[in-house]
Amino acid sequence: MDFAAASAWINGFLSSVGAAVFVPIIMIIMGLIVRMKPKDAISSGILLGVAFTGMSMLISYMGNIISPVGEAMLKHIGINLPILDGGWTTMAAIAWSWPYAILMFPLMIVINIIMLVANKTDTFNADLWNVWGKIFTAVGVVGLTGNVVLAFVIAAIQIVFELKTADLFADEINELTGIPGVTCTHKMVFLAAIYYPVDKLLRKIPALNHKADAEALHEKVGIFAENHVLGFILGCLFGLLGQYDLGKLLTLGVQCAMCLTLFPVISKYFMEALSPISEAVSDYMHGKFEGRKLVVGLDWPFLGGSNEIWLTVIWGIPVTVVFAFLLPQNQILPFAGIVNIALAVPAYLVTKGNLPRMIILATIGVPIFLLVGTAFAPFISHLATSTGAVAAKALGSAGLISNSSIDGPWFTYAFSQFLDIANGNPLPLGMLIVWLAGYGLMYHDLSKEQKARKAAASAEAVEE
């Protein structure tokens, strides 16, 4: 079998259709397997595609209006950094150019099935579209060691962690979104292991340990926390930072107001599409796995109705520009990845939507993304040109490209590069130990919370 040709075909197919087609196809198939009526499964799948497309269009639109602000700030500050920021699409293209990429699909599915049957997870991961995240980690291992088997072993470990992390946040995601039976299996959530110990300390500060999501802020500041008003104010502030003239500043204000107004609207379509499928999966799996409540693992966009996520993402843009200028070790010029969702989603889950703590965690997280992006640049640049994913002449005089918003940056760098200690570089191994310690603390605490919830629910059921 020509794995390289197969991987290239799959990459071409996934690139042409994207998550808006691929994920609904998977969900329709899953709906039919769990005995939904064909018309209901197809209807839910198409509506899910509509939700994904709407969210993608809105994110793209926001990126197009916000990115120039970051560029203008960089220009005014006078930053001249040699590493180009290719964004996540460049990383995905590099991942799919690996000859063995296609084998990650069966590995991911088999591990998920084994863990479901062995009662080691309650998550069925339908997010096959983001399999490239596992491939990218594996490619990092191969780039360092040349060992393909070891690369798949590390990828398998990542798959297990994704499922366990999805289990860990499932109840919380249900409470935050109101969407039943779903969780997030995207590896961007791995940054929660670094955020969690910091957030645990922040919770000890009385001023930060109370309900402070967008709804709570609305009660305190009234109209200024309305989506459209807040979006307008933020847009105008960004116009000032970018030194826009009055006309462009006001236009940006209205554009940002539109984005913050429509994000919650689109998120309702995720709920409408996913509820019938998740209920059918739950009913079917209850018969197969009596006494267990299974959930469906998805990509992050169904969380996109949270104003807290977008406010944190917007906050992260000027902070990224400032750190890019101030960090002496940083060499990456933020561009394609400057609208960084992976900065905000794990903060949202760890803080349960507490906006002040999210902003603090995001500020701490920005240097991690920049420094990991810088550290990966030589490796990514070599792969980009050697595989043909990026033309060498497109990389500029320095010949370097990376990504300022690598998903789960701490995890990705630590797990793919920890064996570099053999070459005298102990940093990735040290980062691996820190990540595992943070994850262990988070897993211990959140597991206790889950058990407490289940005990309370059982007590209520007995009383009724």
Side-chain angles (χ1 to χ4, degrees), residues 356-367:
R357 299 208 308 266
M358 286 178 68
I359 287 174
I360 293 171
L361 293 177
T363 303
I364 294 170
V366 165

Side-chain angles (χ1 to χ4, degrees), residues 144-443:
L144 177 67
T145 67
N147 191 322
V148 174
V149 174
L150 179 61
F152 277 103
V153 170
I154 299 298
I157 293 171
Q158 177 174 325
I159 292 166
V160 172
F161 270 118
E162 285 177 350
L163 293 170
K164 299 302 288 185
T165 306
D167 290 340
L168 207 57
F169 285 109
D171 291 343
E172 189 172 311
I173 286 173
N174 184 21
E175 291 175 9
L176 288 169
T177 65
I179 304 176
V182 295
T183 186
C184 184
T185 44
H186 200 293
K187 76 167 183 172
M188 68 171 62
V189 181
F190 285 158
L191 193 57
I194 303 301
Y195 282 167
Y196 185 83
V198 179
D199 186 65
K200 192 168 184 177
L201 292 175
L202 293 176
R203 277 180 261 146
K204 296 183 182 298
I205 302 173
L208 296 176
N209 193 18
H210 57 83
K211 187 174 175 63
D213 57 13
E215 184 178 346
L217 293 175
H218 180 268
E219 295 175 2
K220 294 181 179 180
V221 298
I223 188 175
F224 293 104
E226 294 280 357
N227 288 10
H228 57 290
V229 176
L230 185 58
F232 180 78
I233 293 171
L234 288 172
C236 290
L237 287 175
F238 269 87
L240 287 172
L241 290 173
Q243 299 184 20
Y244 282 15
D245 61 40
L246 181 61
K248 289 181 66 177
L249 183 148
L250 293 174
T251 299
L252 182 62
V254 173
Q255 290 171 329
C256 287
M258 183 274 291
C259 289
L260 285 192
T261 301
L262 292 185
F263 278 127
V265 174
I266 293 174
S267 71
K268 293 177 183 177
Y269 290 103
F270 279 102
M271 185 181 301
E272 189 176 338
L274 291 170
S275 291
I277 295 176
S278 63
E279 289 171 10
V281 170
S282 179
D283 292 342
Y284 180 82
M285 293 299 183
H286 183 72
K288 299 293 182 181
F289 303 97
E290 190 172 351
R292 290 172 61 187
K293 182 181 179 182
L294 302 188
V295 293
V296 178
L298 294 172
D299 196 358
W300 74 270
F302 74 96
L303 298 167
S306 161
N307 289 333
E308 297 84 4
I309 287 177
W310 298 111
L311 293 173
T312 305
V313 168
I314 292 171
W315 166 263
I317 294 170
V319 173
T320 299
V321 171
V322 171
F323 273 116
F325 177 70
L326 294 179
L327 279 175
Q329 300 89 346
N330 174 62
Q331 294 296 306
I332 189 168
L333 182 68
F335 178 64
I338 200 168
V339 180
N340 189 356
I341 311 297
L343 187 68
V345 169
Y348 177 64
L349 297 180
V350 164
T351 65
K352 298 178 173 64
N354 183 293
L355 186 57
R357 299 208 308 266
M358 286 178 68
I359 287 174
I360 293 171
L361 293 177
T363 303
I364 294 170
V366 165
I368 298 173
F369 283 91
L370 291 174
L371 295 178
V372 169
T374 297
F376 263 132
F379 156 72
I380 290 173
S381 303
H382 172 71
L383 281 175
T385 53
S386 63
T387 60
V390 179
K393 63 181 180 181
L395 301 186
S397 58
L400 293 171
I401 190 169
S402 188
N403 181 11
S404 66
S405 57
I406 292 173
D407 296 321
W410 194 296
F411 176 96
T412 304
Y413 183 68
F415 272 76
S416 67
Q417 302 294 300
F418 73 93
L419 290 175
D420 201 28
I421 191 171
N423 300 319
N425 180 14
L427 180 61
L429 179 59
M431 291 175 64
L432 174 62
I433 294 170
V434 170
W435 189 89
L436 289 172
Y439 191 89
L441 176 64
M442 179 177 73
Y443 193 88

Side-chain angles (χ1 to χ4, degrees), residues 18-29:
V21 173
F22 188 72
V23 175
I25 289 173
I26 297 297
M27 296 301 282
I28 290 171
I29 293 171

